[in-house]
Amino acid sequence: MTEIDAKIDALVPAWLHLPDIAEMLDIEVTRVRQLVRDGQLIAVRRGENRALQVPAAFIDGDKVVKGLPGLLTVLRDDGYNDGEMLEWLFTPDPTLPGTPAQALSENRGTEVKRRAQALAV
């Protein structure tokens, strides 16, 4: 859980509060917080009341986007912090095309993970 700067905040098109995610996933808010602590989601403090929020692109209906937890692990292992991961995930990549977050939601996670692994080289 981290504070977010304006540049990264502007890259992410939509955000969800933790209680909204809990409702979508049909789990308790404490379980959503556990997903954040376990590194399966990234939550940042933003807005007037500095409430924890997660990019809406990380939730696909009633589940976490397929491949996201593994991708976040790869990026963390490469030394990325939460802000850097969000910036990478939501910055357009013309070779994908789109952003890595879009590619994940379109079930193109293998290609996104391959690119993330190449960052460490």
Side-chain angles (χ1 to χ4, degrees):
M1 293 173 269
T2 185
E3 294 287 328
I4 188 168
D5 67 35
K7 175 185 172 192
I8 296 168
D9 196 12
L11 287 173
V12 180
W15 296 88
L16 294 169
H17 291 89
L18 300 192
D20 297 329
I21 294 169
E23 187 175 318
M24 293 170 78
L25 302 180
D26 195 26
I27 59 176
E28 297 292 325
V29 174
T30 54
R31 179 68 183 118
V32 177
R33 290 182 184 279
Q34 187 65 47
L35 291 172
V36 172
R37 276 193 299 276
D38 292 346
Q40 296 183 43
L41 289 174
I42 297 174
V44 297
R45 296 202 176 273
R46 60 183 299 276
E48 284 182 30
N49 60 358
R50 312 309 292 162
L52 281 174
Q53 296 180 40
V54 172
F58 290 175
I59 306 299
D60 181 16
D62 62 352
K63 61 188 182 307
V64 173
V65 168
K66 180 182 175 187
L68 179 67
L71 177 65
L72 295 179
T73 298
V74 168
L75 291 171
R76 275 194 189 91
D77 289 350
D78 289 348
Y80 280 61
N81 64 36
D82 287 355
E84 292 166 334
M85 287 189 282
L86 287 172
E87 184 174 1
W88 184 79
L89 281 161
F90 289 95
T91 298
D93 180 343
T95 65
L96 270 175
T99 66
Q102 286 171 317
L104 268 182
S105 68
E106 295 167 357
N107 206 22
R108 296 187 286 145
T110 303
E111 182 59 29
V112 175
K113 195 169 184 179
R114 190 175 302 126
R115 289 164 196 263
Q117 291 167 332
L119 295 173
V121 176

